[in-house]
């Protein structure tokens, strides 16, 4: 049977862990009580071990039983008295326990009830805060939905009057898809100009009347003037009553309301804007329901924890002292309040009616998405692909030796055509394997990576899936390499067999963009979407998953350069567009090499600039400086690889040292939150997820070592071509390993920031969001 402490650890909400009752501390305090009472009990019951008859023992037993019953009947209910005080205008309850004479002299018991009171007050206060926040959010959403429904009705009526034969559909599509801030920009588009007729002016008055009836007041609506054609001379500003004394609801831009009032035509754009608003509000209702569900779990787990701990106290104290306290716990706000439960029912009803066409089963699929359980088939396929990979690799090694691939005569041609493609897929597979390790560690340490990355739990990749993709990818690549060697040994034309790497590359590109729901389509499309967001960094609001993926690309510059070389050779040999020698020394090749070396850092720097523009945080500009320094160092190293002289050696050394120091500083202090001299954990941070602190110190050293592997690139060791390629691949693989190692601590720090702010539910920006009333 699983202990409750482990059950509580497994079920509690990680971001709210500090707000839960500290069951483990109270349990330790009960153990102290037990130890403090043992000497007294042994001394109290000490009797000589001679001169006792069987009647004496029976008399002692009966006396003990009678005393216990007497104590239970007359004193148990009076051993403790729980006093409830109210503060802050009768809005907050504070519990204090008074002990009877029986317990008041025992320090450990007094400490126990003091801590129990603190935990009960903490749980109550947190529940009350979260409940108020969710209720306020629910009221805001109801108002948003009401405004939206009024707008839809008005536009629908207008369309029905203008085109009776073409009714306007205002139903909400039940298909739900997560939105990002970039989707909201469509709501701010202009409707365009059109002439306004007298009937349209009356429609405008109808809009004003209807919206004013719902509490929306128009500034200067009575005094607005019109041109000769009947158009309003100036656009009106809509002022919605404030939800609190300092803030008011307004449209995402005033254009939505102004277009509706001043330009009654443009039905398609009206529909487009309303669909955008519907999607946002629908997502907000889903998040609200999720938050209410978490609050319900919070209440039930804490109630069980208090019950368990009080039963343990009764057992240790040999008294039924918990009855009074448990009665007060049940009366406390986090147990007795039903506001959150009623709001959950209301959200279910609203969502079913407005977003699921009155289909409750369909609504529940969105409000309570079922997580897919780990399939044994995935584990079986992972084991099968791993076995195939090992077998094929052994076959490849034997064939390569028999065919003399790495001999002086065959080595250059083979390394030029096969090595780049092989390296691309190997580095990609290694990165996927490291990501699988990250997923495994994040899951075991209760880091909520799906919430941080805003992934859907039903379609998010699990560690077994990442391992399966990695091994399947490598098995396919090794299989293609074996086929390539067999055809080479069978004296097929080099032009034909050298097309195999290109075919393999095209196959995986086709699989990546395949529209059919096979081979993790949600993950593939998510990857494509994030890459598009990275490429268009200045034009999109940057989310964590975007810059996290961009950081991965900065560690895959060797992969991108191998991809460039492979593509160059494929086009040269298959399509005869140029001579293969230009793939290593041509001017265009060199220019593309510079671009590839700069591009990931450039994208990441643009993301930092956009985040500074959105947030106004100067730290983003400092972070941008890190990527600019890395860009300069990368360019200097590429130039030094072509111009081996003392001047460029000095430039490379200076720029690389500066960039490395900058990166290490940002890794440890900003990304990981380490090197805090005032921390309770020396030179780390106050909160650590891993229990063994030495792991963190070793990780710091490992990150430093792997950050300076660039030193090898400027040493120019005199080795053969194959050895040089192997060394180059090894350094690239070490950088991928370093990035996978960095990923864990980066997300650990982000998770702890969420825990510190109790962020367990995503806040969705609403289409009619709150701004300062002035």
């Amino acid at each position: 049977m699983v202990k409750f402490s482990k059950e509580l650890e497994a079920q509690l909400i990680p971001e709210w862990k500090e707000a839960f009752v500290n069951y483990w501390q109270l349990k330790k305090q009960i153990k102290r009580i037990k130890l403090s009472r043992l000497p007294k009990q042994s001394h109290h019951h000490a009797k000589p071990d001679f001169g006792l008859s069987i009647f004496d023992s029976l008399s002692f037993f009966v006396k003990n039983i009678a005393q216990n019953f007497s104590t239970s009947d007359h004193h148990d209910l009076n051993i403790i008295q729980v006093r409830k005080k109210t503060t802050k205008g009768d809005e907050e309850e504070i519990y204090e326990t008074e002990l009877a004479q029986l317990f008041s002299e025992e320090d450990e018991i007094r400490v126990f009830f003091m801590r129990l009171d603190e935990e009960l007050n903490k749980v109550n206060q947190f529940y009350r805060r979260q409940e108020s926040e969710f209720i306020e959010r629910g009221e805001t959403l109801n108002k948003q939905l009401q405004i939206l429904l009024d707008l839809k009705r008005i536009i629908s009526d207008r369309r029905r009057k203008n085109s009776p034969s073409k009714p306007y559909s205002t139903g909400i599509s039940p298909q739900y898809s997560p939105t990002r801030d970039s989707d909201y920009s469509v709501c701010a588009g202009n409707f365009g100009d059109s002439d306004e007729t007298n009937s349209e002016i009356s429609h405008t008055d109808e809009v004003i009347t209807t919206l004013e009836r719902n509490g929306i007041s128009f500034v200067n609506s009575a005094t607005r003037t019109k041109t000769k054609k009947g158009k309003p001379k100036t656009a009106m500003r809509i002022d919605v009553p404030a939800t609190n004394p300092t803030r008011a609801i307004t449209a995402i831009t005033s254009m939505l309301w102004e277009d509706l009032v001043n330009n009654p035509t443009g039905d398609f754009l009206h529909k487009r804007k309303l669909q955008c608003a519907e999607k946002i509000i629908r997502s907000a209702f889903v998040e609200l329901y999720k938050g209410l569900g978490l609050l319900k779990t919070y209440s039930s787990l804490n109630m069980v924890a208090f019950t368990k701990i009080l039963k343990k106290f009764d057992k240790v104290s040999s008294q039924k002292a918990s009855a009074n306290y448990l009665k007060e716990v049940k009366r406390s706000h986090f147990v007795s309040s039903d506001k959150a439960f009623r709001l959950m029912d209301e959200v279910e009803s609203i969502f079913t009616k407005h977003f699921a066409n009155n289909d409750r089963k369909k609504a529940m699929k969105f409000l309570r998405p079922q997580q897919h359980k780990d399939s044994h088939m995935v584990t079986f396929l992972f084991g099968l692909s791993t076995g195939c990979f090992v077998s094929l690799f052994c076959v490849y090694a034997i064939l390569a030796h028999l065919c003399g691939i790495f001999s002086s005569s065959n080595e250059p041609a083979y390394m030029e055509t096969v090595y780049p493609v092989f390296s691309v897929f190997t580095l990609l597979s290694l990165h996927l394997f490291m990501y699988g390790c990250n997923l495994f560690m994040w899951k075991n340490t209760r880091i909520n990576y799906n919430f941080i990355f805003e992934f859907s739990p039903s379609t998010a990749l699990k560690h077994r899936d990442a391992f399966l993709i990695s091994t399947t990818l490598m098995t396919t690549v090794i299989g293609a390499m074996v086929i390539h060697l067999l055809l080479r040994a069978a004296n097929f034309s080099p032009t034909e067999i050298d097309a195999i790497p290109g075919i393999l590359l095209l196959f995986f590109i086709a699989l990546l963009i395949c529209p059919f729901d096979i081979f993790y389509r949600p993950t593939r499309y998510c990857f494509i979407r994030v890459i598009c967001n990275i490429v268009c960094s200045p034009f999109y609001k940057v989310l964590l998953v975007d810059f996290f993926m961009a950081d991965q690309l900065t560690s895959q510059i060797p992969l991108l350069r191998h991809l460039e070389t492979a593509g160059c050779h494929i086009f040269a040999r298959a399509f005869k567009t140029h001579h293969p020698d230009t793939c290593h020394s041509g001017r265009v090749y060199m220019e593309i090499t510079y671009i590839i070396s700069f591009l990931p850092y450039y994208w990441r720097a643009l993301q930092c600039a956009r985040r500074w523009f959105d947030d106004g945080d100067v730290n983003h500009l400092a972070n941008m400086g890190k990527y600019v320094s890395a860009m300069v160092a990368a360019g200097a190293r590429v130039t030094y690889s072509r111009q081996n002289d003392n001047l460029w050696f000095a430039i490379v050394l200076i720029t690389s040292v500066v960039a490395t120091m900058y990166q290490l500083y940002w890794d440890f202090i900003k990304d990981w939150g380490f090197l805090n001299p005032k921390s309770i954990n020396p030179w780390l941070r106050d909160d650590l997820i891993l229990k063994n602190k030495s792991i963190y110190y070793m990780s710091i050293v490992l990150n430093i070592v792997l950050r300076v592997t660039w030193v090898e690139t400027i040493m120019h060791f005199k080795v053969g071509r194959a050895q040089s390629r192997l060394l180059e691949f090894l350094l690239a693989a070490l950088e991928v390993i370093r990035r996978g190692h960095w990923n864990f601590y980066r997300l650990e720090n982000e998770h702890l920031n969420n825990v510190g702010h109790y962020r367990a539910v995503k806040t969705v920006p609403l289409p009619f969001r709150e701004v300062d009333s002035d």
Side-chain angles (χ1 to χ4, degrees):
M1 185 176 180
V2 181
K3 291 185 177 180
F4 175 74
S5 57
K6 293 184 179 180
E7 185 179 346
L8 178 62
E9 182 70 28
Q11 294 185 16
L12 59 77
I13 301 147
E15 290 79 8
W16 293 354
K17 183 175 181 179
E18 295 300 320
F20 274 81
V21 56
N22 196 332
Y23 180 83
W24 300 270
Q25 184 189 48
L26 295 173
K27 192 175 176 181
K28 289 179 181 178
Q29 187 62 32
I30 287 178
K31 289 183 179 179
R32 295 192 188 100
I33 294 173
K34 184 177 181 180
L35 293 175
S36 67
R37 292 172 68 90
L38 282 177
K40 297 180 181 180
Q41 290 178 357
S42 59
H43 178 74
H44 176 73
H45 297 303
K47 295 286 183 181
D49 56 356
F50 57 88
L52 290 176
S53 67
I54 188 172
F55 297 103
D56 293 329
S57 300
L58 183 61
S59 174
F60 175 77
F61 177 76
V62 172
K63 182 179 179 181
N64 235 0
I65 293 293
Q67 185 178 1
N68 285 339
F69 270 106
S70 176
T71 303
S72 177
D73 292 339
H74 300 289
H75 299 288
D76 282 351
L77 297 178
N78 297 319
I79 288 175
I80 62 171
Q81 292 292 331
V82 184
R83 307 292 183 186
K84 182 171 69 173
K85 300 179 181 179
T86 55
T87 59
K88 296 184 179 180
D90 296 339
E91 293 182 357
E92 196 168 295
E93 301 169 347
I94 301 295
Y95 291 91
E96 292 182 359
T97 303
E98 297 180 0
L99 301 179
Q101 186 67 25
L102 177 64
F103 283 162
S104 62
E105 297 178 356
E106 298 189 38
D107 293 337
E108 296 297 341
I109 293 180
R110 188 163 59 250
V111 171
F112 170 77
F113 278 102
M114 286 176 59
R115 290 181 177 174
L116 195 63
D117 290 340
E118 292 173 359
E119 296 299 320
L120 179 57
N121 293 329
K122 178 184 73 175
V123 170
N124 257 329
Q125 292 167 9
F126 179 81
Y127 186 90
R128 192 183 291 273
R129 285 198 306 270
Q130 293 297 320
E131 184 185 61
S132 300
E133 180 183 334
F134 288 135
I135 290 175
E136 182 180 355
R137 193 180 299 185
E139 291 173 352
T140 303
L141 278 177
N142 281 333
K143 190 171 186 65
Q144 297 265 324
L145 182 61
Q146 187 59 47
I147 294 172
L148 183 65
L149 293 176
D150 288 336
L151 289 173
K152 288 178 61 181
R153 182 182 57 79
I154 293 169
I155 294 176
S156 178
D157 292 344
R158 178 184 305 164
R159 180 61 185 266
R160 196 181 305 112
K161 291 177 182 178
N162 293 337
S163 302
S165 61
K166 297 180 180 179
Y168 176 71
S169 174
T170 60
I172 297 175
S173 174
Q175 184 177 3
Y176 170 73
S177 60
T179 60
R180 37 182 298 125
D181 288 342
S182 58
D183 296 329
Y184 308 152
S185 59
V186 73
C187 299
N190 294 329
F191 282 160
D193 297 329
S194 64
D195 293 334
E196 188 175 42
T197 63
N198 292 332
S199 61
E200 288 169 344
I201 295 174
S202 64
H203 289 323
T204 299
D205 295 334
E206 179 189 355
V207 171
I208 295 174
T209 303
T210 303
L211 294 179
E212 283 181 344
R213 195 182 307 123
N214 287 317
I216 302 171
S217 60
F218 288 78
V219 178
N220 299 326
S221 60
T223 60
R224 65 190 182 113
T225 59
K226 300 181 177 64
T227 63
K228 294 180 179 179
K229 294 182 178 181
K231 290 185 178 182
K233 189 172 184 179
T234 58
M236 294 182 301
R237 179 170 63 88
I238 297 173
D239 186 19
V240 183
T243 55
N244 57 54
T246 60
R247 302 178 69 83
I249 297 179
T250 186
I252 190 169
T253 64
S254 60
M255 294 301 299
L256 181 83
W257 299 98
E258 291 170 4
D259 286 343
L260 181 62
V261 176
N262 302 315
N263 183 19
T265 60
D267 294 319
F268 172 75
L269 292 175
H270 281 317
K271 180 181 178 181
R272 182 69 175 145
K273 287 185 177 183
L274 291 179
Q275 286 177 344
C276 173
E278 288 168 356
K279 183 185 290 186
I280 298 170
I281 294 174
R282 180 175 58 197
S283 177
F285 270 111
V286 172
E287 291 299 318
L288 174 61
Y289 190 84
K290 177 184 175 183
L292 293 170
L294 293 178
L295 196 62
K296 181 179 178 181
T297 302
Y298 176 83
S299 173
S300 59
L301 285 178
N302 278 298
M303 181 62 211
V304 176
F306 277 112
T307 304
K308 294 283 186 181
I309 206 68
L310 286 169
K311 286 183 178 179
K312 287 183 179 293
F313 175 79
D314 283 351
K315 185 177 180 180
V316 169
S317 63
S318 300
Q319 302 287 341
K320 295 181 180 179
S322 65
N324 277 350
Y325 204 98
L326 195 58
K327 190 182 298 182
E328 291 299 327
V329 171
K330 292 179 179 179
R331 292 174 181 170
S332 62
H333 187 79
F334 84 93
V335 177
S336 61
S337 176
D338 63 342
K339 294 180 181 178
F341 298 96
R342 285 190 279 110
L343 184 56
M344 283 188 73
D345 294 337
E346 183 181 349
V347 171
E348 287 182 10
S349 176
I350 291 173
F351 197 92
T352 302
K353 179 180 179 181
H354 296 288
F355 301 102
N357 295 330
N358 290 318
D359 189 340
R360 178 177 171 80
K361 185 177 180 180
K362 186 181 295 183
M364 289 300 103
K365 288 182 179 180
F366 301 122
L367 295 176
R368 298 177 186 174
Q370 298 294 325
Q371 294 190 18
H372 295 295
K373 296 181 179 179
D374 293 336
S375 174
H376 294 293
M377 180 59 69
V378 174
T379 306
F380 169 75
L381 292 175
F382 168 61
L384 180 64
S385 60
T386 303
C388 293
F389 166 70
V390 173
S391 302
L392 287 173
F393 184 79
C394 294
V395 172
Y396 173 77
I398 295 171
L399 288 175
H401 178 71
L402 295 176
C403 296
I405 289 301
F406 298 106
S407 63
S408 58
S409 59
N410 294 327
E411 178 187 325
Y414 186 81
M415 296 299 290
E416 287 176 358
T417 56
V418 177
Y419 167 76
V421 178
F422 181 82
S423 298
V424 165
F425 288 109
T426 304
L427 291 174
L428 181 60
S429 178
L430 178 62
H431 212 135
L432 283 169
F433 180 80
M434 294 302 299
Y435 181 63
C437 295
N438 290 148
L439 294 177
F440 177 76
M441 288 299 298
W442 292 332
K443 178 184 177 182
N444 285 355
T445 53
R446 302 292 309 280
I447 292 176
N448 195 352
Y449 60 90
N450 283 334
F451 172 71
I452 295 174
F453 289 138
E454 299 185 18
F455 289 161
S456 172
S458 59
T459 58
L461 213 62
K462 298 179 174 61
H463 66 276
R464 289 187 178 88
D465 300 316
F467 290 148
L468 176 61
I469 296 173
S470 174
T471 54
T472 302
L473 180 65
M474 278 309 302
T475 302
T476 306
V477 172
I478 292 294
M481 296 301 105
V482 169
I483 295 173
H484 183 276
L485 286 179
L486 291 175
L487 294 178
R488 189 185 184 95
N491 294 323
F492 277 78
S493 170
T495 304
E496 295 176 356
I497 62 175
D498 286 347
I500 292 178
I503 295 173
L504 184 67
L505 191 61
L506 291 176
F507 170 76
F508 278 108
I509 293 175
L511 180 62
L512 180 65
I513 63 176
C514 176
F516 301 110
D517 193 8
I518 58 173
F519 204 72
Y520 303 102
R521 185 180 66 175
T523 300
R524 290 188 283 111
Y525 276 29
C526 177
F527 174 77
I528 294 173
R529 185 176 66 250
V530 172
I531 292 296
C532 290
N533 293 336
I534 292 172
V535 174
C536 305
S537 295
F539 309 109
Y540 286 96
K541 182 178 176 64
V542 182
L543 302 182
L544 190 144
V545 67
D546 297 333
F547 66 76
F548 188 85
M549 179 61 75
D551 279 328
Q552 311 306 305
L553 292 181
T554 61
S555 295
Q556 285 289 15
I557 292 177
L559 180 148
L560 299 176
R561 293 181 62 179
H562 290 321
L563 197 60
E564 173 204 5
T565 306
C568 182
H569 278 282
I570 289 170
F571 278 96
R573 295 181 181 275
F575 301 101
K576 307 296 182 181
T577 56
H578 54 276
H579 195 275
D581 291 342
T582 60
C583 293
H584 299 280
S585 57
R587 179 180 176 183
V588 175
Y589 173 81
M590 285 300 301
E591 291 176 352
I592 295 177
T593 301
Y594 277 110
I595 292 173
I596 289 176
S597 300
F598 290 159
L599 210 51
Y601 298 118
Y602 172 75
W603 285 331
R604 192 66 185 88
L606 288 181
Q607 286 182 334
C608 294
R610 177 57 194 255
R611 295 186 72 193
W612 169 77
F613 178 79
D614 291 334
D615 303 336
D617 189 351
V618 183
N619 283 323
H620 296 314
L621 292 180
N623 196 16
M624 184 177 70
K626 179 187 72 174
Y627 294 104
V628 171
S629 67
M631 199 185 310
V632 173
R637 286 198 289 270
V638 172
T639 304
Y640 179 68
S641 66
R642 307 295 177 181
Q643 302 179 21
N644 189 1
D645 55 38
N646 294 331
L647 175 61
W648 277 107
F649 177 81
I651 293 174
V652 167
L653 190 62
I654 293 173
T655 56
S656 297
V657 168
V658 171
T660 301
M661 296 300 294
Y662 207 152
Q663 290 165 347
L664 288 174
Y665 166 81
W666 208 268
D667 284 345
F668 297 142
I669 295 180
K670 299 295 184 178
D671 290 335
W672 293 2
F674 290 169
L675 302 185
N676 182 4
K678 298 180 180 179
S679 173
I680 58 175
N681 304 304
W683 297 103
L684 298 177
R685 52 174 130 79
D686 291 340
D687 298 321
L688 301 174
I689 289 182
L690 301 179
K691 296 180 180 179
N692 192 347
K693 296 180 186 178
S694 60
I695 296 177
Y696 291 96
Y697 295 112
M698 289 189 292
S699 297
I700 291 175
V701 175
L702 180 62
N703 192 64
I704 294 173
V705 172
L706 295 180
R707 275 288 190 187
V708 297
T709 53
W710 55 264
V711 173
E712 188 279 332
T713 61
I714 65 174
M715 298 303 293
H716 292 307
F717 294 113
K718 294 181 179 181
V719 294
R721 189 180 186 87
Q723 290 80 4
S724 175
R725 293 286 192 177
L726 183 60
L727 188 59
E728 179 184 342
F729 172 78
L730 178 62
L731 294 177
L734 287 176
E735 172 58 22
V736 172
I737 293 172
R738 187 202 67 80
R739 179 59 63 181
H741 169 258
W742 177 91
N743 288 344
F744 174 79
Y745 298 104
R746 175 65 183 88
L747 223 65
E748 179 196 24
N749 192 36
E750 186 69 24
H751 172 76
L752 291 174
N753 288 335
N754 287 340
V755 170
H757 294 88
Y758 301 107
R759 288 193 292 258
V761 181
K762 182 175 65 174
T763 302
V764 179
L766 298 174
F768 315 106
R769 63 172 179 251
E770 296 181 354
V771 298
D772 292 337
S773 58
D774 59 352

